[in-house]
Amino acid sequence: MPRMIDQFMWGYQESFRITLQFRANRVLKRLGARHEVKVLLVGALRPGRQNHNAVCVEPEKGEWPVELFHDLLQKIEAECSAHHLNDIIYGDAPSMRDKPENMRRDATRLAVAALLAPYDTAQHVVSFCGIARPIDDYYVVPVIQVPGDLFRKFVPLRPRPTITPYEWQGPRSLIHATMRALLDEAEKELERPDPGRFMTDLASDGSEIVLAAARNFVHSPGLAIDRRYLPSALFDWCNSISTQMYEGAQGRGQILLANPKNPAIEFLAIFKHPVPLNDPRWSRKALQFSSPEACLVGDTTAIHGIGRLRETFDPESEEVFAIRFLDRFHWELACGERVLMRSHYGAPLLPQEQIEQSEFTTTFHRLFPTGDATLAWALFQAGITADHGNMLVFTEDAALEAERLSREGTTIEPVTLTPTLYQQFSRIDGTVLVDPKGVCHAVGVILDGAASTYCVRSRGSRYNSAVRYVRAGRKRFAIVVSDDQTVDVLPEIRPLMSRSEIERQIETLESATTDNYRAAQRWLDDHRFYLDKAQCERIRVALQRIDEIALDMGEIRFVLSEFTPDPDMDESYLLP
């Protein structure tokens, strides 16, 4: 029997919501965030339309009861009456004609956001609401809810005071810009016939959304330092500058983004003719002037000279930003010590440790229960901050391996490795070989190992030699820093997993219906590594049962690849 939807807006509302949620989570994962978002749709009955539901929520049996929006229609009318567009008179007839409709759509968004505010506070989430679009009898608002923890880890810029209520502030963070880009896409889809019926972007990796968000986010520094919108392609210019070499040297240095008249800037030299940022060769040449003592100073369009921040400057003012060119193809945008965004090979990323210390320590202790994980982490930090590629390998038989490989390296008298000593040893080609306690036995070692299917053609010899050596069968732990500053830890860093949580998720899937199986399916898909053969079979049977149930109109189901046990999985990854 087909499932009946009481809060019905249009036939593909569930498909639209699920696809947008899938898309949003994929995009966040691409940015480097591990948090998951949720999506809901709120429909408000359009004036003059008749329907037994004044308000609809999709999903109607989800976490958001329709009672949250019991006075939504009244709230919309209040927002319309107070809307700032009431005071705007356009100089062209089409804009004046469209104004009432645009006001109502935005008022619906504002009303939904206001009614969700208490829920957001109670549930520790942040709701991003799109502008409403009319579909049949309803104005529909797409809402993406982000866990509040995400903004504690990636702290956004503060809201800036504005002169008028409609003044654009720019996105407060890369995450804010990403949510806006996703909602822009959702709003466009809602304007098409039968939205959600043919959403073909599922195969996309989300890179175009992330790029659009990054290009939008970098307007925020310009608005903060100039108090006005300046159209620029700052993100693309910085990527272009980072690719340039100068007389064979890779670009490293810093540009302070500030209003040249800001008293916090102490100019040491002012260029008579500012260097335009849209000339990457000239800008890259000017970057050679940058040093730890003084750097370039510019705004979002040009470099004006060489200078530095005065000691009296307060970074909390958020009036000065910095573009730090770390290496070729690698730069970051910062405000004070807070990194706001990184770009690596043109791909925007959230600022975060490449590897979390807790997960690094857990993996190290799993391999070497009596090893010195604190020293290992300190050596890891030394490796990733070095200005050259390097590799460090921990192995229980380091002394024996140093002798075995002595013809292809330099053995030394055993010495406890320090971060400073490691940076010195790593200046020559080859691997630094230590035992789990951090005692070094050899430097400049050329590793051996049988060819492996885990090697990657697109990666260099340093990475692939580490793969072969680590997978030779013994307990080994490698830290690989490539020349392009890519960091890898082998074997892959994986957190320990609860046996009971795996069992709970499988049991949930086994008893699920077509209405509620997706959360368990998604969790198990994300944690495939931890599943054994019997668990994979149970999941296969559960998904086959669900697949055999006929689809309802507008229902969408994701077909996953077969669940199979990972050969690298063992009991040490599971909590008791």
Side-chain angles (χ1 to χ4, degrees):
M1 180 177 177
R3 178 169 55 90
M4 301 300 295
I5 301 177
D6 177 61
Q7 297 177 41
F8 183 88
M9 294 176 281
W10 82 101
Y12 298 96
Q13 62 189 53
E14 183 183 42
S15 171
F16 177 88
R17 177 186 61 82
I18 292 172
T19 303
L20 178 56
Q21 182 167 296
F22 180 88
R23 181 95 157 123
N25 282 312
R26 174 177 282 185
V27 167
L28 270 187
K29 187 175 182 180
R30 184 175 183 83
L31 281 175
R34 300 183 181 183
H35 299 67
E36 289 210 346
V37 305
K38 296 177 181 178
V39 170
L40 67 149
L41 308 176
V42 181
L45 190 65
R46 297 167 65 183
R49 299 298 181 101
Q50 299 294 321
N51 197 298
H52 71 285
N53 289 318
V55 178
C56 293
V57 177
E58 163 61 43
E60 66 179 30
K61 296 179 181 178
E63 304 170 32
W64 308 273
V66 72
E67 288 75 22
L68 282 174
F69 309 98
H70 69 280
D71 57 348
L72 177 59
L73 299 189
Q74 294 86 345
K75 183 70 173 173
I76 291 171
E77 295 305 321
E79 292 287 354
C80 277
S81 298
H83 202 278
H84 67 267
L85 286 182
N86 282 307
D87 300 326
I88 300 296
I89 298 177
Y90 294 103
D92 61 303
S95 295
M96 287 300 294
R97 182 189 64 230
D98 295 340
K99 189 175 82 166
E101 176 68 7
N102 291 336
M103 285 173 52
R104 182 161 293 276
R105 292 183 182 187
D106 191 47
T108 305
R109 173 187 68 86
L110 293 170
V112 169
L115 294 175
L116 277 172
Y119 177 92
D120 287 4
T121 301
Q123 299 299 321
H124 307 292
V125 297
V126 179
S127 290
F128 291 85
C129 302
I131 296 175
R133 291 293 187 268
I135 303 179
D136 295 338
D137 292 338
Y138 293 92
Y139 281 111
V140 178
V141 176
V143 182
I144 304 176
Q145 284 192 341
V146 177
D149 287 345
L150 194 59
F151 294 109
R152 283 187 279 275
K153 183 172 184 179
F154 307 110
V155 180
L157 299 170
R158 296 194 308 271
R160 290 191 304 105
T162 56
I163 299 174
T164 59
Y166 46 85
E167 182 181 344
W168 188 55
Q169 297 189 31
R172 294 174 53 206
S173 71
L174 181 58
I175 299 170
H176 284 74
T178 300
M179 294 302 108
R180 182 63 262 166
L182 283 163
L183 289 170
D184 284 345
E185 184 182 75
E187 291 160 13
K188 291 175 183 176
E189 176 66 22
L190 286 172
E191 291 179 337
R192 299 185 181 123
D194 298 322
R197 183 185 180 195
F198 299 116
M199 291 182 74
T200 58
D201 289 328
L202 280 177
S204 167
D205 61 2
S207 58
E208 74 285 1
I209 288 288
V210 172
L211 282 173
R215 288 169 176 146
N216 193 25
F217 175 50
V218 294
H219 286 298
S220 295
L223 288 163
I225 66 180
D226 287 319
R227 305 299 182 193
R228 59 195 175 97
Y229 177 78
L230 291 172
S232 71
L234 183 62
F235 179 79
D236 297 300
W237 294 346
C238 290
N239 279 333
S240 185
I241 293 168
S242 73
T243 67
Q244 302 292 321
M245 303 280 281
Y246 180 74
E247 295 186 351
Q250 296 180 355
R252 293 189 178 93
Q254 180 172 260
I255 302 175
L256 289 179
L257 297 180
N259 188 318
K261 297 180 181 179
N262 191 319
I265 300 296
E266 179 186 359
F267 273 102
L268 303 180
I270 298 176
F271 299 153
K272 191 171 183 179
H273 302 288
V275 179
L277 287 176
N278 62 0
D279 187 332
R281 288 182 177 272
W282 194 0
S283 299
R284 171 62 188 88
K285 186 176 181 179
L287 194 62
Q288 290 298 109
F289 293 131
S290 182
S291 72
E293 293 74 30
C295 58
L296 301 180
V297 178
D299 52 28
T300 56
T301 60
I303 301 167
H304 296 279
I306 303 170
R308 58 195 172 200
L309 282 170
R310 299 184 189 275
E311 292 183 359
T312 55
F313 172 68
D314 179 12
E316 294 299 318
S317 67
E318 298 182 354
E319 292 181 346
V320 177
F321 296 78
I323 299 171
R324 299 169 185 157
F325 293 93
L326 307 175
D327 207 337
R328 198 177 185 197
F329 305 107
H330 190 191
W331 60 276
E332 65 186 21
L333 174 67
C335 183
E337 295 302 315
R338 183 181 9 152
V339 178
L340 303 174
M341 179 182 71
R342 290 196 171 103
S343 177
H344 198 210
Y345 284 89
L349 297 167
L350 287 168
Q352 58 185 323
E353 291 180 347
Q354 292 161 308
I355 294 172
E356 301 288 345
Q357 182 176 0
S358 59
E359 295 182 356
F360 178 97
T361 300
T362 297
T363 298
F364 189 86
H365 274 152
R366 185 180 61 79
L367 293 170
F368 311 116
T370 61
D372 190 340
T374 301
L375 177 57
W377 177 253
L379 296 174
F380 170 78
Q381 292 297 309
I384 64 176
T385 55
D387 59 0
H388 51 270
N390 56 87
M391 182 158 65
L392 177 66
V393 170
F394 293 85
T395 179
E396 289 180 330
D397 56 350
L400 294 175
E401 283 293 281
E403 288 300 322
R404 185 177 71 85
L405 300 170
S406 60
R407 289 177 178 267
E408 300 180 69
T410 302
T411 56
I412 63 173
E413 291 295 326
V415 60
T416 299
L417 200 58
T418 65
T420 301
L421 194 56
Y422 175 52
Q423 288 199 337
Q424 289 179 280
F425 284 159
S426 66
R427 290 190 178 278
I428 64 171
D429 292 338
T431 300
V432 178
L433 207 59
V434 297
D435 66 23
K437 295 290 187 182
V439 176
C440 181
H441 295 267
V443 301
V445 176
I446 305 302
L447 301 178
D448 60 4
S452 170
T453 56
Y454 290 88
C455 290
V456 180
R457 292 178 181 177
S458 60
R459 299 298 302 275
S461 59
R462 181 182 285 115
Y463 172 83
N464 285 311
S465 65
V467 170
R468 289 191 294 268
Y469 189 73
V470 167
R471 301 193 70 83
R474 300 179 181 87
K475 287 188 176 181
R476 290 167 177 169
F477 187 75
I479 299 167
V480 186
V481 181
S482 301
D483 289 326
D484 64 0
Q485 298 302 299
T486 301
V487 179
D488 295 280
V489 172
L490 303 170
E492 182 180 348
I493 296 284
R494 296 182 187 274
L496 298 180
M497 182 52 56
S498 165
R499 299 171 190 267
S500 59
E501 180 60 19
I502 295 173
E503 181 63 24
R504 187 183 74 83
Q505 294 289 345
I506 295 176
E507 290 178 353
T508 299
L509 184 67
E510 288 175 326
S511 60
T513 67
T514 55
D515 290 335
N516 60 12
Y517 75 95
R518 295 182 185 87
Q521 180 197 46
R522 186 171 63 250
W523 190 95
L524 292 166
D525 187 36
D526 290 340
H527 297 82
R528 286 171 176 262
F529 174 80
Y530 302 96
L531 304 173
D532 61 28
K533 183 177 181 180
Q535 291 168 334
C536 289
E537 176 60 19
R538 289 170 62 191
I539 293 168
R540 185 193 67 79
V541 172
L543 290 177
Q544 182 178 6
R545 173 184 61 82
I546 292 171
D547 287 342
E548 290 173 352
I549 300 173
L551 285 106
D552 285 336
M553 183 183 72
E555 182 184 359
I556 184 171
R557 295 179 191 167
F558 298 116
V559 179
L560 303 180
S561 58
E562 182 180 358
F563 281 79
T564 57
D566 194 301
D568 289 339
M569 170 60 189
D570 60 50
E571 292 288 308
S572 66
Y573 284 99
L574 298 176
L575 292 167

